[in-house]
């Protein structure tokens, strides 16, 4: 494996990153913003019942995003393995674990979709309010899954930042930004699970997550625009490190 593997995979990986960004924005942010009524499970259930197809499109967006995540995980491993095969493998496994948690979370959305069907036989003995509250519980379980996959993604970003620094094919600041983003995801999960009431922590987490978003978009655009032309040192100096990584 040589540096040519990096350049040959750069643009496809960057393009898939952009697919993740677009499909993720649609399914994670836009669809819920159009359907969920904060603090009102019954109104949310009614909105879902009226726009079940739209909610299903959001689930499809999740599937597209996770499929792209699988491909990106493997491609990043192929790109960066010359600069630390074990580290690149660990980064790939961490990202695949994130995608696995996301896939499990889709079962919650599938159940919510079933509960929103007014003519379904499942739980037909439940009142509309009971079905709405159960759907709310499933959405909250789905939300808790976000804090789980963020832990794996934080690890991935920290490892990727180290690989970017080793390869020296991208601006040094990008690696730093990826590492800060990884810290932001880890901090957000820590806040959610263990320190929900600590003052100032949400603001710090939001700032670091903003850095992560900009870093990932910059990473993707750099791969798409300049991927084949990115130059860096030969991986040879890291062969001994690779064996120990």
């Amino acid at each position: 494996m040589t540096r040519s593997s990096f350049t040959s995979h750069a643009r496809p990986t960057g393009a898939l990153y952009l697919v993740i960004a677009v499909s993720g924005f649609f399914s994670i942010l836009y669809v819920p913003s159009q359907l969920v009524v904060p603090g009102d499970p019954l109104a949310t259930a009614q909105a879902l019942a009226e726009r079940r197809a739209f909610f299903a499109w959001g689930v499809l967006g999740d599937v597209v995003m996770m499929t792209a995540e699988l491909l990106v995980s493997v491609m990043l491993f192929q790109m960066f393995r010359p600069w630390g095969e074990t580290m690149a493998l660990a980064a790939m496994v961490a990202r695949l674990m994130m995608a696995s948690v996301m896939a499990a979370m889709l079962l919650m959305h599938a159940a919510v979709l079933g509960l929103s069907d007014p003519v379904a036989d499942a739980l037909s003995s439940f009142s509309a309010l009971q079905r709405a509250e159960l759907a709310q519980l499933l959405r909250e379980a789905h939300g808790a899954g976000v804090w789980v996959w963020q832990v794996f993604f934080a690890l991935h970003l920290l490892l990727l930042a180290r690989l970017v620094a080793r390869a020296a094919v991208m601006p040094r600041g990008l690696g730093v930004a990826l590492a800060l983003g990884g810290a932001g995801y880890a901090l957000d999960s820590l806040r959610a699970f263990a320190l929900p009431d600590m003052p100032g922590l949400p603001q710090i987490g939001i700032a670091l997550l903003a850095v992560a978003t900009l870093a990932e978009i910059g990473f993707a655009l750099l791969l798409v625009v300049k991927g084949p032309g990115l130059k860096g040192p030969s991986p040879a100096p890291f062969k001994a490190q690779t064996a120990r990584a």
Side-chain angles (χ1 to χ4, degrees):
M1 190 67 61
T2 65
R3 186 167 45 194
S4 63
S5 177
F6 184 98
T7 57
S8 64
H9 288 88
R11 277 186 172 160
T13 303
L16 285 169
Y17 251 105
L18 296 178
V19 169
I20 291 170
V22 173
S23 58
F25 172 81
F26 176 74
S27 60
I28 296 174
L29 296 177
Y30 181 71
V31 171
S33 72
Q34 300 300 303
L35 297 177
V36 176
V37 181
D40 194 337
L42 189 57
T44 300
Q46 291 172 346
L48 287 172
E50 294 169 359
R51 304 183 67 184
R52 295 183 75 249
F54 181 64
F55 184 76
W57 276 105
V59 174
L60 178 60
D62 275 324
V63 172
V64 170
M65 178 181 63
M66 282 178 277
T67 302
E69 287 285 4
L70 295 179
L71 297 174
V72 164
S73 300
V74 176
M75 287 184 176
L76 287 176
F77 169 70
Q78 292 285 48
M79 289 168 61
F80 287 100
R81 65 186 297 188
W83 292 280
E85 186 167 7
T86 302
M87 188 178 295
L89 179 62
M92 180 183 72
V93 172
R95 192 159 191 146
L96 290 175
M97 285 296 296
M98 176 197 71
S100 298
V101 174
M102 287 181 169
M105 289 163 57
L106 275 187
L107 297 176
M108 307 294 180
H109 272 176
V112 170
L113 190 62
L115 286 169
S116 67
D117 186 354
V119 298
D121 291 332
L123 302 179
S124 58
S125 62
F126 282 46
S127 68
L129 180 58
Q130 288 173 325
R131 290 161 67 98
E133 290 176 340
L134 180 56
Q136 175 69 19
L137 177 62
L138 290 168
R139 287 194 300 274
E140 290 178 358
H142 181 277
V146 173
W147 303 329
V148 176
W149 69 248
Q150 284 187 161
V151 174
F152 295 110
F153 193 51
L155 176 59
H156 169 80
L157 286 180
L158 293 171
L159 292 171
L160 181 61
R162 179 58 179 154
L163 289 166
V164 167
R166 280 189 174 188
V169 295
M170 293 179 169
R172 184 184 300 271
L174 182 60
V176 174
L178 288 171
L180 289 174
Y185 279 106
L187 188 63
D188 191 55
S189 291
L190 176 64
R191 175 200 60 78
F193 281 121
L195 303 169
D197 299 322
M198 178 170 285
L201 205 58
Q203 290 76 15
I204 296 173
I206 289 172
L208 291 176
L209 290 178
V211 171
T213 301
L214 293 175
E216 290 183 85
I217 293 174
F219 183 70
L221 292 176
L222 190 62
L223 290 176
V224 170
V225 176
K226 295 186 176 181
L230 291 172
K231 302 296 182 182
S234 167
F238 296 103
K239 285 182 178 178
Q241 296 181 32
T242 302
R244 299 194 302 268

